[in-house]
Amino acid sequence: MVELNRRQALGLGAAAFISGLLSGRLAVSAAESSTLTIAFNANLPSFDGTTGPSAVNPAIQAIYRSIFDQYIGQKPDLSFEPGLLTAWGWNDDKTKVWMDVRSGVTWHDGTPLTPEDVVWSLERAGDPATGNPVANVWASIGNFTIDGQRITGDVKSFDPTIFKWMAFLTGYVLPKAYYTKVGAAGFEAKPIGTGPYMFDAYEGNSFLRLKANPNYFGGKPAFDTVVFKFVTDPTSRVAEIESGSSDVTLEVPYEEYDRLRKKEGLAGVSPPISDIGMLFITNVEPMLDKNVRLAAHHAIDKAGIVKKLLRGYGVPIDTLEAPEYEAYDASIKVGYDPKKAVELLSASGYSTEKPVKFTIQTTRGLKPKDYEMIQAIVGMWRKVGIEAEIEVYDIAKHFELRMSHKLAPAAFYNWGDAIGDPTTSTGFAMFSKSPHSAWKSDDVDALIGPLWAEPDEAKRIAGWKAVDKYIAEQGYVIPLLQYVQPILYKSTLKVTPNTSSALQPTLISKS
Amino acid sequence: MTLTSVFNRLAMAVLTLLGVGLVVFVLLRVVPGDPVAMMISPSATPADIAALRAHYGLDLPLAEQFFLWLRDLLHLDFGTSISLRRGVLQLIGERLPATLELTFAALVFGILAGGIVAVAGVLLRRTPLEAVMDFVNGLFLAVPDFVWALALVLLVGVLWPIFPLSGRLDPALSTDFYTPFYLLESLARFNWTDVGDVLAHLVMPTLALGLPLAAVIARTLKEALGEAMVQDYVLLARLKGMSETRLVLQEALRNAVGPTLTLTGVQFTFMIGGTVIVERIFAYPGIGNMAIDAVINRDLPLIQGIVLVFGALFIVINIAVDLIADRLNPRQLHG
Amino acid sequence: MTPPLVSIEALSASSVREGGTPVLRDVSLTLERGEVRGLVGESGAGKSTIAKALLGILPETIRITGGWLRFEGRDLLTMPSGELRAMRGRDITLIPQDPQTALNPARTIEAQLTDGLRMKLGLRGTALHARAIELLEEVQIREPDRVLRSYPHQLSGGMRQRILIAAAFAPGPKLVVADEPTTALDVTVQKEILRLMRRMQERHGTAVIFVTHDLGVVAKVCDSVTLLYAGKVIEAGTTADVIERPQHAYTKALIAAGPRYDRPGQGLEPVPEAIFRQLRAELAGTAAKGAP
Amino acid sequence: MADVAVSAPVTVVNRRFRSLRPLLREPRVVWAGGFLIALALVAIFAPWIAPKDPLEQDLMMASLPPIGFEGYEPGYYLGTDDLGRDVLSRIIFGARIALTVSLVAASLAGLIGSLLGLASGWYRGWTDRIVSRLVDIWMSFPPVLLSVLLVAVMGAGLHSVIIAIAIIDWTRFSRVVRAETLAQSSLDYVTAAEAIGFSRRHILWREILPNVAPVIIALLSLEMGIAVIVEAILSFVGLSISSDAPTWGGMVAQGRQVLHESWWVLVFPLVTLFATVLAFNLLGNGLRNALDPVMRR
């Protein structure tokens, strides 16, 4: 080995330093290499996708789905496919559940996945002490027994959506032996899963680097390395993709999306996703007046908003079910009709001279154009005789107000439902006993109540459609639009959009 | 400063921190947006919610919560973050060094740039250039740091992309750092590739934070230098045949630097506050970035911890500034 | 024949700011090598303007309107600034008025004392230090080592003035301009400083321009004296001549009025108003003569 | 928060300013003051000056460019935003909010800070110790974080922004006014007033306050500039005024999203904002110079 004296070493160092400074980043961010760099729109607070508030944050499911596998997989069109379970179901009288665990799957540390891992994960999810935000969903099944690769369990209270949850939030299988050995802190430091990519390096608020899992049961992934850069500021994400520092980014302003997707070397895709922009209506004055509720709905030109404000990126809707959802009913229409709105209002004694007044709450910057959209709506309302005062809140305050039933008469929120089941959309949003509902009235409860545990699937879906129709007629909620997710990527890549909004690296490949 | 006065100041610092703790504690308890509200399940019952609340100790009377928090603080237990579910002290320990490196880089930049501009301004007295420099400096004083950040993203990030836009380190670098002080550590290891990378990532946030600081320093220092330049000892030195540059640097600077230093101390703490937004824009993994997440998530223990650390930093910096000012002023050193 | 060290010929200057008020009117004087000349007058008489002109530090508000200012035969007013700077601090040095403000509080005595030696004579290291100690001993400062390490605020006013004197004589100048060097000191210290200055001047054979408003001080240290009033030379000559046989009524009144070291306690009568009237009349006459 | 240096003036002058003449001799005061007076007039008479209704939306008229650019529509001099609202009219009406926020917030901060500063500088003892400790505690908070927290506590809105600025920034006044009061109270005129037998309170209000007033006035001007920036920062983080009322900060935040599409939505409010902050800074420094005879050279 050649020995360098100190001066030579420093000289070499300085050269490396300068070249590192000038060319360092150019050398490492090329898309041609087998590295995929995603400028991501959210931070990853925790690697445990089954506990704590971050577990139910839809924005980071893409990362969880890369490292871990769900009990049941979900395709980009929201249909289900085998995950770590190859088959599943109820017995005939729906008192028992059964699941077949995939064999031949290994954890990232090389140890095999066993049915014990699955049972442990299910039981852990159902234990409120672990901090699973939807523990009571998981607690609806229990008393598991293992026979070979088959797990059988008792249904404690029938929940028709339990298997859908297995492909949804907190539905991840964690390694029992490893987790018990290293503990929560150790797991956060170096998490292992069965997923397509393996943990490599993590810097909070900055980046996460993953390596390909060569033993993945679904085949070796397309990239050797995947980097998630956590860039929460939309304009900064635009800069990331525009400067070529990142290969893919998402949730950029629509104007920028339109500009950049036409740019040389970049491409874009904008699929509708399971995110619904809506106005909660609270059962307080003046919303107790049906005329006001319906007038407020009829006065909104949703198509105009989507076209002009969102540059066409959005799907106007009149129910809480998006077209991809099981209980979507295309016949439910409310319609833009300012004349009718004026009539309805005048029937209740209101006019532009003597407008009905209430407050509308909205987030600002949580979703693209949320605040602008509310401004536009308030402008439309002003023309028919509704004088609404805008109040901006942040999402934490929204949750607090919603839980204590103190939302303003109208409140903007964005409802995500990646499994597309009516219970997790209309159900939780409109049932008075749910802490998430704003409109609380007995007539809706009477309709919804029996559907929670309806074992007959066809009857269940039909029931929910009826609920949605009734709600639309009564104007208990104002659904606005289904969001689309603008994704920008280098044109050397191919991106399969995901309706659930999770931009998983497995859906990206070299073209 | 004598030993007793240092001791007195430390005692005062503890008292101040206690006050900071009390204020932030009370403030946070009246913040709407209950952390529990954000994590309850769709079908949770009131009993479930109460249980969660009890789990985080939010059901106790305020005074008791405060007392418990203080008691834990004495054991260096800052509590556990609700959103990140890890020890607050540990989290801050990981993030604070990034912010410290950034703010010190910005401080060094601010002092150098501001100092050079001030000296140049004094040398160019009564020339048209002075008016131009004063005007530009006045403009810079009116531009807040986040606007710089935005402008830099656009200019250096996109139009002329030479510096990385986000983060603290290129994710492709596979160096394992033993400490969270990346810059210091890579310097100590003579790992120049890493030093270059860390510095390249520092450039833009440093500029955004440092430019307003530089403007403030430039103006204050120039004023003080101008005052010092008309002193008798400068006249005498000029009569000894010293060049103007030397007059400014050797004769005036040390006597003028006092008020600038005190002000820099105050501005430095403003700058640490400024990291909250600038780190956000550059996705820089510092404590300011974490602070916004903490506020959004109403992560009470984390916010408390961060504010307390900010407060402690403020106090430490101001004691340090006073000590340096004493060092630079021989009158107090020997007086 | 070598020219006189300083020769001022018909020097006139006026203030830019106050509408061109003359501050110097046709002032002429010569200073030979080794001569100590007092420039006497009340404030505003123009004595400081002459000193500043010699040092090349006239404020921008004062403009020379005519005449010559020669040092060793070369005109200081037209000399290139580089040469002027080279000459300043080597050939011409200053003993400032106020020792409180004339020393940089942030630098040690040694650094400030040796500036001239370093910059003008190129001394370095131990030679420099040895010369500094020698200088301090020359101005009778005890413990020179300790003093050299000190900062100005640690020394008394008298000590500082001694150091300023030492610094002024250090590079071996041909001319020292002393700008009222004792006014800021109390009376007992004043005497010592004056004696010290005279001794230094004699030892080095340096010419000194001694700016003061105090005829008593002039009597003590100066070989010759020039008396100014409102920018005009009222009387000039050897100290003995002027003090013993004043020609002008103003001079006589001043001698009668000023506190004097040689006759303490005597003569504190104010200058009679009539004499000022006479002076103003003379000035007006000059001005009238000057106008075409 | 905002980087405006306020170094404590240590020069002390026992002279009340009686005429405006020294002010008018200071060019900074004339130019900056003139600009701000013009801005105030524009704000007051906004309904008559603004060419359009600042709230009027017309999605058909969205994102029109300013005068002189292709696609320009007559009447929309500075173009329209993505909701079709007139940018010029929104800037004009935004001046109302900006000036209200800065005036009220700075006055409140000035009132609280000056009273506490005067009290602690004049009465000293316990009053001083308590106020100084309070200032220390207050200064230890990172201002941006504190303002975000405060607005989160009080809910977004005009009053929240004003209160947040006042609550955070009174310390600037308190520190400087205390130092100035301390300096003034050691001067001869105060001793003279005491000798005549005036009460402590009388001396504070009648003798000291008029001499501290120039400092307070200069600080007020600087603080108003800071208030404009703070409002912009809060708007940027998505807090601040919530209704669709036009604010410069809100327009900047909105314009940033559409920068490449319609730069005018960002640039014009930003320029107005800078000019205003600059004017407040210049005015403050000019006032400090003009009202303080010793500073004049």
Side-chain angles (χ1 to χ4, degrees):
Chain A
M1 203 182 120
V2 186
E3 273 194 30
L4 295 175
N5 65 32
R6 191 180 143 74
R7 176 181 284 184
Q8 281 168 325
L10 284 177
L12 276 179
F17 165 75
I18 289 172
S19 64
L21 199 63
L22 292 178
S23 67
R25 58 188 296 268
L26 298 174
V28 289
S29 60
E32 291 72 29
S33 75
S34 198
T35 296
L36 176 70
T37 305
I38 304 174
F40 205 60
N41 60 333
N43 286 309
L44 179 70
S46 159
F47 281 101
D48 184 346
T50 67
T51 58
S54 56
V56 291
N57 180 358
I60 52 179
Q61 301 303 317
I63 297 177
Y64 291 142
R65 285 183 176 187
S66 301
I67 306 175
F68 305 100
D69 278 309
Q70 300 205 274
Y71 303 94
I72 294 170
Q74 192 180 24
K75 291 186 206 159
D77 63 356
L78 299 190
S79 65
F80 300 101
E81 63 179 351
L84 290 181
L85 302 181
T86 49
W88 57 88
W90 282 280
N91 65 353
D92 289 340
D93 59 0
K94 311 246 160 145
T95 56
K96 289 209 175 288
V97 288
W98 58 269
M99 297 162 269
D100 287 344
V101 177
R102 189 184 290 272
S103 48
V105 175
T106 57
W107 294 102
H108 293 157
D109 64 356
T111 55
L113 168 88
T114 63
E116 277 81 13
D117 288 317
V118 177
V119 167
W120 177 78
S121 298
L122 283 170
E123 283 171 342
R124 185 168 171 269
D127 177 4
T130 60
N132 186 311
V134 289
N136 50 356
V137 170
W138 300 106
S140 69
I141 52 174
N143 290 335
F144 300 104
T145 52
I146 298 169
D147 179 17
Q149 292 297 105
R150 167 152 301 200
I151 301 169
T152 318
D154 291 346
V155 172
K156 292 179 176 169
S157 60
F158 177 68
D159 180 348
T161 62
I162 184 71
F163 288 116
K164 292 185 176 175
W165 275 97
M166 288 192 180
F168 192 37
L169 305 174
T170 77
Y172 297 96
V173 181
L174 266 50
K176 177 187 180 185
Y178 181 76
Y179 193 96
T180 0
K181 191 178 90 193
V182 300
F187 189 75
E188 288 296 339
K190 192 182 186 321
I192 65 164
T194 53
Y197 287 96
M198 305 192 289
F199 172 86
D200 187 18
Y202 169 71
E203 169 108 30
N205 274 80
S206 183
F207 71 88
L208 166 70
R209 191 173 68 219
L210 302 175
K211 281 184 309 208
N213 174 9
N215 305 318
Y216 186 55
F217 69 82
K220 188 177 178 296
F223 298 94
D224 295 337
T225 308
V226 169
V227 173
F228 286 93
K229 281 194 200 171
F230 306 128
V231 188
T232 42
D233 186 79
T235 316
S236 302
R237 284 199 297 281
V238 169
E240 278 283 332
I241 189 84
E242 192 173 9
S243 67
S245 305
S246 293
D247 304 320
V248 181
T249 194
L250 68 165
E251 299 289 0
V252 296
Y254 300 118
E255 288 84 0
E256 300 286 21
Y257 174 76
D258 270 346
R259 180 174 67 89
L260 290 175
R261 79 195 164 98
K262 292 178 200 132
K263 218 183 145 181
E264 183 84 11
L266 290 180
V269 63
S270 50
I273 50 167
S274 56
D275 254 355
I276 288 177
M278 60 181 282
L279 292 180
F280 272 116
I281 303 282
T282 307
N283 52 328
V284 292
E285 283 298 343
M287 293 304 187
L288 297 177
D289 183 342
K290 184 180 171 188
N291 287 339
V292 173
R293 297 195 302 263
L294 287 176
H297 202 161
H298 283 302
I300 301 173
D301 179 7
K302 296 172 191 171
I305 289 177
V306 167
K307 183 160 169 257
K308 278 292 182 176
L309 198 57
L310 305 183
R311 306 172 71 91
Y313 296 111
V315 182
I317 50 169
D318 291 335
T319 95
L320 290 178
E321 313 292 329
E324 291 82 4
Y325 295 2
E326 269 190 278
Y328 176 69
D329 181 351
S331 70
I332 304 175
K333 283 276 175 249
V334 177
Y336 170 53
D337 193 346
K339 275 208 201 81
K340 190 166 174 194
V342 172
E343 281 163 23
L344 285 166
L345 285 171
S346 71
S348 290
Y350 298 116
S351 64
T352 44
E353 282 74 38
K354 186 180 164 297
V356 52
K357 291 182 180 172
F358 56 83
T359 304
I360 178 169
Q361 291 167 323
T362 176
T363 52
R364 185 170 184 169
L366 179 75
K367 291 298 281 182
K369 302 275 181 195
D370 47 0
Y371 178 65
E372 285 79 3
M373 198 146 62
I374 297 309
Q375 290 187 76
I377 288 173
V378 167
M380 292 165 183
W381 281 351
R382 197 177 283 133
K383 284 177 187 154
V384 297
I386 298 173
E387 187 74 47
E389 168 117 9
I390 302 179
E391 185 185 312
V392 171
Y393 54 16
D394 64 4
I395 197 65
K397 194 171 171 191
H398 168 86
F399 280 118
E400 158 120 344
L401 293 174
R402 195 168 76 185
M403 195 172 80
S404 51
H405 196 54
K406 282 184 187 140
L407 285 174
F412 176 80
Y413 181 66
N414 162 56
W415 191 283
D417 177 14
I419 50 173
D421 193 272
T423 56
T424 42
S425 52
T426 308
F428 288 136
M430 301 307 297
F431 189 56
S432 77
K433 307 285 187 300
S434 155
H436 303 289
S437 64
W439 184 270
K440 296 182 191 290
S441 65
D442 295 338
D443 52 343
V444 184
D445 286 2
L447 286 172
I448 294 180
L451 297 173
W452 288 115
E454 173 59 56
D456 182 338
E457 185 66 8
K459 221 169 131 191
R460 191 173 77 92
I461 296 298
W464 281 112
K465 283 183 176 175
V467 171
D468 282 327
K469 198 168 191 79
Y470 178 75
I471 288 172
E473 283 161 8
Q474 294 295 319
Y476 287 155
V477 69
I478 304 182
L480 295 172
L481 61 109
Q482 181 189 17
Y483 279 104
V484 302
Q485 181 181 47
I487 303 170
L488 285 165
Y489 52 94
K490 289 190 174 155
S491 43
T492 49
L493 298 174
K494 197 161 111 14
V495 173
T496 312
N498 189 347
T499 309
S500 85
S501 85
L503 179 64
Q504 295 151 239
T506 41
L507 297 174
I508 303 170
S509 58
K510 288 173 243 185
S511 65
Chain B
M1 250 197 281
T2 61
L3 204 64
T4 14
S5 76
V6 170
F7 183 79
N8 276 343
R9 288 200 60 164
L10 284 179
M12 278 294 166
V14 172
L15 208 66
T16 306
L17 274 182
L18 207 67
V20 170
L22 183 66
V23 171
V24 73
F25 195 89
V26 170
L27 198 63
L28 282 176
R29 287 333 185 256
V30 295
V31 176
D34 182 336
V36 168
M38 300 189 66
M39 51 192 297
I40 56 162
S41 69
S43 47
T45 62
D48 295 341
I49 297 169
L52 259 179
R53 205 176 284 282
H55 179 75
Y56 290 104
L58 298 169
D59 55 338
L60 301 172
L62 261 193
E64 198 177 338
Q65 286 188 40
F66 184 63
F67 175 75
L68 285 176
W69 183 59
L70 273 190
R71 193 197 58 192
D72 290 346
L73 274 186
L74 286 180
H75 298 97
L76 277 182
D77 176 2
F78 281 54
T80 307
S81 154
I82 294 177
S83 62
L84 302 175
R85 280 171 302 143
R86 293 171 56 204
V88 167
L89 195 64
Q90 184 196 2
L91 283 167
I92 291 176
E94 284 170 14
R95 298 299 185 78
L96 187 60
T99 299
L100 286 181
E101 284 191 352
L102 171 59
T103 46
F104 274 104
L107 181 69
V108 170
F109 171 81
I111 289 175
L112 282 181
I116 289 170
V117 168
V119 169
V122 169
L123 287 175
L124 294 171
R125 260 170 313 166
R126 290 186 288 274
T127 64
L129 257 181
E130 187 200 12
V132 173
M133 282 173 75
D134 280 356
F135 180 74
V136 172
N137 200 30
L139 281 182
F140 275 39
L141 280 171
V143 180
D145 43 21
F146 77 94
V147 175
W148 278 121
L150 298 183
L152 286 167
V153 165
L154 207 62
L155 286 176
V156 191
V158 177
L159 295 181
W160 187 42
I162 51 164
F163 292 114
L165 283 165
S166 65
R168 189 182 178 201
L169 197 65
D170 198 303
L173 283 179
S174 51
T175 316
D176 278 325
F177 285 97
Y178 297 104
T179 67
F181 289 93
Y182 291 176
L183 184 60
L184 293 180
E185 192 183 326
S186 48
L187 275 172
R189 288 176 172 186
F190 297 109
N191 186 338
W192 300 108
T193 321
D194 285 4
V195 173
D197 188 65
V198 174
L199 281 181
H201 279 83
L202 270 176
V203 170
M204 294 223 281
T206 299
L207 282 178
L209 285 173
L211 280 170
L213 180 72
V216 174
I217 290 179
R219 198 188 62 181
T220 322
L221 187 60
K222 191 184 157 220
E223 248 171 46
L225 278 175
E227 271 164 41
M229 286 300 282
V230 298
Q231 296 295 316
D232 283 355
Y233 55 81
V234 177
L235 177 74
L236 192 63
R238 180 178 286 128
L239 286 177
K240 289 173 185 168
M242 276 188 202
S243 68
E244 278 295 305
T245 320
R246 190 141 171 214
L247 281 179
V248 175
L249 294 181
Q250 182 178 303
E251 299 293 324
L253 192 58
R254 258 184 84 176
N255 293 300
V257 88
T260 315
L261 199 70
T262 313
L263 187 78
T264 307
V266 175
Q267 291 295 324
F268 187 61
T269 53
F270 282 154
M271 198 171 75
I272 293 182
T275 58
V276 170
I277 289 179
V278 169
E279 288 187 353
R280 196 74 175 173
I281 293 174
F282 291 108
Y284 189 84
I287 195 170
N289 206 336
M290 192 164 72
I292 292 226
D293 282 342
V295 173
I296 290 174
N297 293 319
R298 299 293 191 269
D299 192 336
L300 305 187
L302 191 55
I303 300 176
Q304 281 160 194
I306 291 173
V307 172
L308 214 57
V309 166
F310 272 130
L313 264 181
F314 175 85
I315 291 167
V316 168
I317 287 163
N318 277 287
I319 293 181
V321 161
D322 287 354
L323 283 174
I324 296 171
D326 286 357
R327 278 270 125 200
L328 285 179
N329 187 344
R331 225 176 296 229
Q332 288 181 19
L333 189 66
H334 301 274
Chain C
M1 186 190 122
T2 51
L5 185 69
V6 176
S7 85
I8 299 173
E9 291 160 40
L11 192 66
S12 293
S14 60
S15 160
V16 176
R17 192 172 275 167
E18 283 148 39
T21 318
V23 289
L24 290 180
R25 310 167 197 243
D26 272 335
V27 172
S28 298
L29 66 83
T30 54
L31 183 73
E32 297 299 335
R33 287 175 176 71
E35 181 185 349
V36 179
R37 177 175 287 264
L39 276 185
V40 189
E42 50 192 63
S43 37
K47 54 190 195 302
S48 295
T49 309
I50 296 174
K52 283 178 183 157
L54 273 171
L55 294 160
I57 51 166
L58 275 180
E60 286 171 355
T61 50
I62 291 181
R63 184 167 301 150
I64 301 286
T65 53
W68 293 267
L69 181 66
R70 293 204 177 88
F71 183 80
E72 297 189 307
R74 301 177 60 202
D75 192 355
L76 287 175
L77 298 176
T78 55
M79 189 180 281
S81 64
E83 281 177 47
L84 197 62
R85 194 190 299 153
M87 183 183 271
R88 240 193 251 154
R90 190 187 63 210
D91 295 337
I92 308 177
T93 61
L94 169 75
I95 300 174
Q97 180 173 14
D98 186 357
Q100 303 292 330
T101 57
L103 284 168
N104 189 333
R107 298 177 68 209
T108 61
I109 296 300
E110 177 159 20
Q112 302 191 59
L113 179 62
T114 56
D115 273 335
L117 299 173
R118 255 179 294 127
M119 288 186 297
K120 301 297 175 183
L121 307 182
L123 286 184
R124 290 287 183 275
T126 46
L128 188 67
H129 185 68
R131 182 78 185 103
I133 289 185
E134 230 172 271
L135 278 167
L136 287 193
E137 280 166 350
E138 230 176 297
V139 292
Q140 295 165 333
I141 285 177
R142 268 162 285 171
E143 296 183 81
D145 263 317
R146 182 186 65 83
V147 171
L148 284 179
R149 281 194 307 273
S150 311
Y151 285 91
H153 70 274
Q154 293 164 300
L155 306 176
S156 70
M159 289 267 262
R160 289 187 219 182
Q161 194 56 292
R162 281 162 196 264
I163 286 156
L164 287 168
I165 291 170
F169 283 99
K174 293 170 180 152
L175 172 67
V176 169
V177 177
D179 182 14
E180 310 208 26
T182 56
T183 32
L185 303 172
D186 59 52
V187 181
T188 45
V189 185
Q190 273 186 5
K191 278 189 186 171
E192 285 172 38
I193 295 293
L194 287 176
R195 231 178 285 139
L196 178 70
M197 277 193 61
R198 185 74 208 190
R199 198 171 46 242
M200 291 291 281
Q201 182 270 330
E202 279 164 4
R203 178 178 302 177
H204 294 269
T206 317
V208 174
I209 294 228
F210 202 107
V211 177
T212 180
H213 58 268
D214 189 342
L215 267 176
V217 172
V218 171
K220 203 144 178 74
V221 291
C222 298
D223 305 319
S224 57
V225 60
T226 298
L227 181 67
L228 295 150
Y229 181 82
K232 188 176 186 315
V233 176
I234 299 295
E235 186 147 0
T238 63
T239 310
D241 279 354
V242 172
I243 300 266
E244 298 306 323
R245 289 173 293 280
Q247 300 296 304
H248 200 281
Y250 178 59
T251 323
K252 288 175 193 161
L254 273 187
I255 293 169
R260 295 174 57 172
Y261 298 115
D262 47 347
R263 295 182 215 155
Q266 283 192 23
L268 280 164
E269 295 148 46
V271 177
E273 184 53 31
I275 294 176
F276 286 112
R277 273 201 297 275
Q278 183 197 340
L279 281 167
R280 280 195 288 271
E282 282 176 29
L283 290 175
T286 337
K289 250 190 288 170
Chain D
M1 162 157 316
D3 301 291
V4 176
V6 182
S7 46
V10 285
T11 44
V12 177
V13 181
N14 175 25
R15 206 179 90 180
R16 302 177 189 186
F17 55 103
R18 290 202 176 80
S19 78
L20 284 173
R21 203 164 302 146
L23 292 183
L24 295 178
R25 240 184 267 138
E26 172 72 47
R28 283 181 285 187
V29 174
V30 176
W31 285 105
F35 174 82
L36 290 171
I37 288 171
L39 191 70
L41 289 177
V42 165
I44 292 168
F45 298 107
W48 292 276
I49 295 172
K52 305 270 184 231
D53 178 351
L55 300 181
E56 179 63 34
Q57 307 173 2
D58 186 348
L59 290 176
M60 295 311 290
M61 287 288 182
S63 304
L64 295 176
I67 191 162
F69 289 84
E70 202 187 323
Y72 156 73
E73 281 287 331
Y76 296 94
Y77 299 100
L78 299 184
T80 60
D81 64 8
D82 48 352
L83 288 173
R85 296 175 298 194
D86 183 41
V87 171
L88 176 62
S89 305
R90 287 179 73 72
I91 290 179
I92 289 173
F93 274 86
R96 285 188 155 189
I97 292 173
L99 291 183
T100 311
V101 168
S102 55
L103 199 69
V104 179
S107 306
L108 273 178
L111 190 69
I112 302 170
S114 303
L115 286 180
L116 290 175
L118 280 169
S120 69
W122 180 235
Y123 294 109
R124 316 212 187 149
W126 277 109
T127 323
D128 188 24
R129 250 172 275 174
I130 292 172
V131 172
S132 298
R133 196 101 317 265
L134 209 58
V135 170
D136 278 357
I137 292 174
W138 233 251
M139 303 264 305
S140 313
F141 287 106
V144 174
L145 195 59
L146 185 58
S147 55
V148 169
L149 257 181
L150 276 173
V151 176
V153 169
M154 293 183 286
L158 190 62
H159 63 283
S160 305
V161 176
I162 290 174
I163 293 171
I165 294 172
I167 287 182
I168 293 168
D169 275 356
W170 63 269
T171 52
R172 287 174 196 274
F173 287 86
S174 163
R175 277 161 61 232
V176 177
V177 170
R178 172 179 174 272
E180 186 67 17
T181 309
L182 272 176
Q184 291 286 341
S185 57
S186 67
L187 292 183
D188 287 348
Y189 77 93
V190 175
T191 324
E194 277 172 333
I196 296 169
F198 286 137
S199 71
R200 300 276 292 163
R201 227 164 98 193
H202 179 95
I203 298 174
L204 178 61
W205 292 113
R206 292 299 173 79
E207 304 288 334
I208 292 187
L209 182 60
N211 283 295
V212 179
V215 174
I216 298 179
I217 290 172
L219 276 177
L220 267 179
S221 179
L222 294 174
E223 179 63 34
M224 285 167 79
I226 293 171
V228 173
I229 294 184
V230 173
E231 196 277 318
I233 290 180
L234 288 173
S235 292
F236 183 78
V237 198
L239 295 166
S240 189
I241 326 290
S242 57
S243 65
D244 53 352
T247 69
W248 295 342
M251 294 175 78
V252 169
Q254 178 198 1
R256 181 185 169 225
Q257 306 275 332
V258 295
L259 176 62
H260 290 281
E261 278 290 308
S262 32
W263 52 267
W264 51 91
V265 184
L266 174 72
V267 168
F268 292 122
L270 203 59
V271 168
T272 321
L273 192 131
F274 283 162
T276 310
V277 174
L278 193 62
F280 276 126
N281 287 359
L282 287 179
L283 181 66
N285 291 325
L287 283 174
R288 200 159 52 120
N289 246 15
L291 298 177
D292 198 344
V294 167
M295 296 269 303
R296 265 182 285 163
R297 276 192 289 273

